Amino acid sequence: MFGYRHLLLQHHRCVAFRSALSVIARNEAIFKINSYKMKYGGCVYILTNKHHTVLYTRVTSDLKKRIWQHQNKEFKNSFTSKYNCDKLVYYENFIRIEEAIAREKQIKGASRKAKETLINGFNHNGRTCGK
C-alpha cells in the first residue's frame, strides 16, 4: 500500500516542514536580537548652562531620566552640578549603545566651534530641547 515513492514524499514533506520551522525560529531569534538592540540602544546628548559657557557631552540609555537627574542635581559633586549644566541643547538616538559611544567620542574630539555648529544646526531657535 505504501511504496517507496510514498515514503520518499513523506520524507520530503517532513524535511520541508522542519526547514520551515527552522526559518521561523531563526526569524524569531533575529527579531528578539533586534528588539534587544532597540531596547538597549543609546543616546548621545549635550548639556549647557544658563550662560552657554560649558558644553557637557555624554551617553545614556534613558535620556528622560538622565536629564531629570541633571536638572535636579541628583549627584551633588558631579561636573554638571558644579557648573549648573541642566539645559539640553542636542541629542541623537542610536539603535545600539556602541554607536552612541562612538558618536560621543567623535563629538568630544571636535572643537567647540564644531560642537556649536552641530547644536545650532539641530536647534536653530536657540531654545533648550524639551521646554
Side-chain angles (χ1 to χ4, degrees), residues 65-66 68-76 78 81:
K65 178 182 175 184
R66 193 70 182 110
W68 183 90
Q69 289 172 336
H70 288 302
Q71 290 175 342
N72 291 288
K73 299 188 184 344
E74 192 166 296
F75 305 104
K76 302 293 182 197
S78 68
S81 290

Side-chain angles (χ1 to χ4, degrees), residues 84-99:
N84 295 312
C85 297
D86 59 2
K87 295 168 96 177
L88 179 65
V89 291
Y90 177 84
Y91 67 93
E92 192 174 345
N93 292 311
F94 295 90
I95 293 172
R96 296 179 55 228
I97 192 72
E98 295 86 2
E99 295 170 342

Side-chain angles (χ1 to χ4, degrees), residues 43-49 52 56 58 63-64 67 70-71 85-92 119 122-123 126-131:
C43 179
V44 61
Y45 64 97
I46 300 176
L47 297 177
T48 191
N49 59 2
H52 303 279
Y56 176 84
R58 284 295 186 268
L63 183 61
K64 188 175 180 180
I67 297 305
H70 288 302
Q71 290 175 342
C85 297
D86 59 2
K87 295 168 96 177
L88 179 65
V89 291
Y90 177 84
Y91 67 93
E92 192 174 345
I119 292 165
F122 175 77
N123 188 9
R127 294 183 302 182
T128 58
C129 303
K131 286 192 176 183

Side-chain angles (χ1 to χ4, degrees), residues 20-30:
L21 284 178
S22 69
V23 168
I24 291 169
R26 195 173 335 131
N27 288 342
E28 286 178 355
I30 290 169

